[in-house]
Amino acid sequence: MNLRLPFLKHATTFARGIHPAPHKGTLDQPIKRMPFPRKLVLPLAQHIGKPALPLVGIGEEVARGQIIARAEGTLSSPIHAPADGVIEAITPMPVSRGQWSDAIVLRVYEASTQEVRCGQPQDVAAMDHAQLIAAIQEIGMVGLGGATFPSHAKLNVPADKQVHTLIANGCECEPYLTCDYKLMREWPQELIAGIRIAMRASGATRAIIGIEDNKLDALDAIRPHLPEDGSITMRAVATKYPQGAERMLIKSLLDLDLPPGSLPSQLGLVMHNVGTLALLGRLLPAGQGLIERVVTLAGPGIKKPGDYWIPFGATLRSVLEWAGDPDCIEREVILGGPMMGQAAFSLDIPVTKGTSGILVFDKRMLEPITQQSWACIHCGACVNACPMGLNPSQLGMLSAKLEFDEMSEQFHLGDCFECGCCSYVCPSHIPLVQQFRAAKAFLRERKPL
Ligand code: SF4
Ligand code: SF4
């Protein structure tokens, strides 16, 4: 029986958006594992909220899975050691987005194995709500889709709000990235276990797994594990960028409009990425901390493209020494997908909880595209592409005149979530999204504290 057609027939979507070439050449391979590098750099702020507080000192030996920094308060998350080794330093190190952050530097023992030597299995079903939320925080779980919001805080719905539906976001609409797809295909049982945990923690009575209709293998892998009571269902949504954005997926699945600046809980919803839920379903019952994640390695500058379990703290340099193409000398390294990811300013930046992909391009190939732009020809392509219904052309012209206040007050710059659709379609190659990021940064800086 062909169970695919009903999903395809009802694939729903949102207004506007784009169809970039998928470049998902890593789709067919199973997840593999990168060996431990000699050194791991573990930033204390790998999440939204207060940085973790170190519990170890220089020269101290640690075991794989051991908690080495504790959460500081409610909106914070602990850090666990990804390998056996000795603490070498606690010092500022470069992290993504051009920043530096205090980090624990761990020298990995050559004999360190993949065995996790800390953490005890725990009876999740016997936990009350407060214990469940505390246990989710204890394992260091954060949103692995890139947002890195602590999962326990997201699932702990405020008393004045009520959540009825959990949305498991399996869209992975960014070109190149396949790490979520692999977890849906290889860990469907863990995904369903994680969804059940997240439903209990948030109070949701039903869950919908939203998957783009170019990932039918994932639907097939999950289907046998769905509960018979219908509390967890799957829905295919159209393959379109940025289908995985919170607002767009809510529109596609439920035909609801989330007002800009509001949280899904306002509509009785909570959304989690499928990778986060699969890891939650695996680690929480085992009582083990989050110490590694699946990262997509792709692009012309990667010799071994694929999806790999990579320990947190592995620097880009160590990843590229192992998997990079040595002939690609002038590298442009992107952390995340090509649409919303960030160019890495240093190869000393480590893989952290929010690193979904490492894409490597040859700068010489990119230069003809990125170096030259022309005047706006008022073609309207950016307006037709913007999923937020903004006028990127007008915003771009105001940005060129440094009229940031007008961008914000008259043309809703704050609603732009930097998806990059406008830049992608612009025939004049105007770096619109970069201009919008700069304008927002200026307005943020100027705000009185
Ligand atoms: S980057 Fe902003 S303005 Fe451009 S398409 Fe996306 S939301 Fe619209
Ligand atoms: S797509 Fe580019 S050229 Fe066309 S209206 Fe927008 S900014 Fe102007």
Side-chain angles (χ1 to χ4, degrees):
M1 183 170 54
N2 188 347
L3 291 168
R4 295 176 170 198
L5 285 175
F7 286 100
L8 282 175
K9 205 169 154 193
H10 299 297
T12 45
T13 192
F14 60 95
R16 298 175 291 276
I18 57 171
H19 294 91
H23 293 291
K24 303 219 182 216
T26 51
L27 270 183
D28 293 335
Q29 306 162 33
I31 304 173
K32 289 171 269 183
R33 194 166 271 283
M34 177 184 152
F36 288 132
R38 286 205 311 250
K39 188 175 81 171
L40 297 173
V41 176
L42 299 152
L44 295 168
Q46 296 188 37
H47 50 266
I48 302 279
K50 283 192 178 169
L53 288 174
L55 293 171
V56 289
I58 294 165
E60 199 170 320
E61 284 193 318
V62 296
R64 178 163 153 87
Q66 181 183 331
I67 186 163
I68 56 173
R70 67 170 172 83
E72 202 205 351
T74 314
L75 194 59
S76 182
S77 191
I79 309 286
H80 300 76
D84 297 339
V86 62
I87 305 299
E88 213 171 60
I90 302 176
T91 184
M93 295 294 279
V95 291
S96 61
R97 296 184 186 269
Q99 293 162 343
W100 285 64
S101 166
D102 283 341
I104 298 175
V105 182
L106 173 64
R107 177 158 52 81
V108 178
Y109 287 153
E110 277 184 28
S112 182
T113 68
Q114 299 294 334
E115 183 194 354
V116 179
R117 303 203 288 118
C118 298
Q120 290 294 322
Q122 48 190 358
D123 185 357
V124 178
M127 293 176 183
D128 65 24
H129 184 259
Q131 288 168 332
L132 185 60
I133 295 293
I136 296 171
Q137 182 176 28
E138 193 67 16
I139 63 167
M141 190 57 63
V142 304
L144 302 180
T148 68
F149 195 83
S151 300
H152 68 280
K154 197 177 200 181
L155 293 169
N156 195 14
V157 179
D160 60 336
K161 297 262 174 352
Q162 211 176 359
V163 157
H164 50 73
T165 303
L166 171 86
I167 296 177
N169 185 346
C171 290
E172 200 164 49
C173 57
E174 277 264 12
Y176 290 93
L177 300 187
T178 51
C179 52
D180 282 350
Y181 164 76
K182 297 289 175 67
L183 279 173
M184 287 191 281
R185 201 178 63 181
E186 296 187 24
W187 282 23
Q189 242 172 311
E190 288 84 352
L191 171 60
I192 298 299
I195 289 174
R196 286 183 188 281
I197 293 168
M199 285 170 74
R200 256 194 73 206
S202 63
T205 51
R206 67 165 181 165
I208 307 172
I209 309 171
I211 303 179
E212 280 190 332
D213 60 5
N214 63 349
K215 301 180 185 75
L216 298 176
D217 287 1
L219 293 169
D220 291 344
I222 296 166
R223 190 174 294 111
H225 303 278
L226 293 176
E228 284 179 4
D229 64 7
S231 56
I232 306 176
T233 54
M234 292 188 294
R235 183 93 58 82
V237 289
T239 300
K240 186 163 77 167
Y241 179 85
Q243 184 71 82
E246 207 164 59
R247 215 165 170 268
M248 279 73 229
L249 187 54
I250 290 172
K251 182 69 185 172
S252 299
L253 287 175
L254 300 167
D255 198 21
L256 292 173
D257 292 303
L258 181 67
S262 335
L263 294 171
S265 59
Q266 212 159 305
L267 298 175
L269 308 170
V270 65
M271 190 180 296
H272 260 68
N273 150 277
V274 288
T276 312
L277 292 164
L279 266 293
L280 182 65
R282 165 70 69 103
L283 297 177
L284 195 72
Q288 292 176 355
L290 182 65
I291 54 176
E292 58 190 7
R293 65 162 295 152
V294 182
V295 180
T296 303
L297 304 186
I302 290 286
K303 199 173 57 187
K304 302 177 189 171
D307 290 278
Y308 295 91
W309 287 105
I310 297 187
F312 297 136
T315 61
L316 297 180
R317 192 181 310 286
S318 67
V319 173
L320 296 188
E321 277 169 6
W322 177 71
D325 181 350
D327 293 335
C328 179
I329 303 162
E330 290 183 53
R331 291 170 172 142
E332 176 82 15
V333 182
I334 308 287
L335 291 166
M339 300 299 295
M340 292 189 77
Q342 293 284 323
F345 71 100
S346 162
L347 291 184
D348 293 325
I349 293 172
V351 167
T352 56
K353 294 180 182 181
T355 311
S356 51
I358 300 173
L359 311 181
V360 185
F361 299 94
D362 189 327
K363 268 190 184 163
R364 291 165 297 182
M365 284 164 61
L366 295 177
E367 263 167 22
I369 309 169
T370 54
Q371 292 301 301
Q372 195 172 4
S373 64
W374 290 271
C376 173
I377 56 169
H378 304 284
C379 65
C382 56
V383 178
N384 291 333
C386 178
M388 292 300 292
L390 302 177
N391 185 338
S393 160
Q394 189 67 38
L395 282 165
M397 283 188 280
L398 291 170
S399 161
K401 291 192 268 178
L402 306 181
E403 292 183 10
F404 302 139
D405 287 314
E406 195 173 345
M407 288 174 79
S408 172
E409 288 155 19
Q410 305 291 321
F411 291 91
H412 311 284
L413 175 67
D415 294 352
C416 166
F417 66 106
E418 301 168 22
C419 67
C421 290
C422 49
S423 305
Y424 182 85
V425 296
C426 178
S428 295
H429 295 166
I430 301 171
L432 294 163
V433 68
Q434 288 83 354
Q435 293 178 358
F436 305 159
R437 275 188 198 135
K440 285 191 202 177
F442 174 86
L443 291 170
R444 260 196 315 270
E445 288 292 312
R446 204 193 51 184
K447 251 189 192 164
L449 292 173

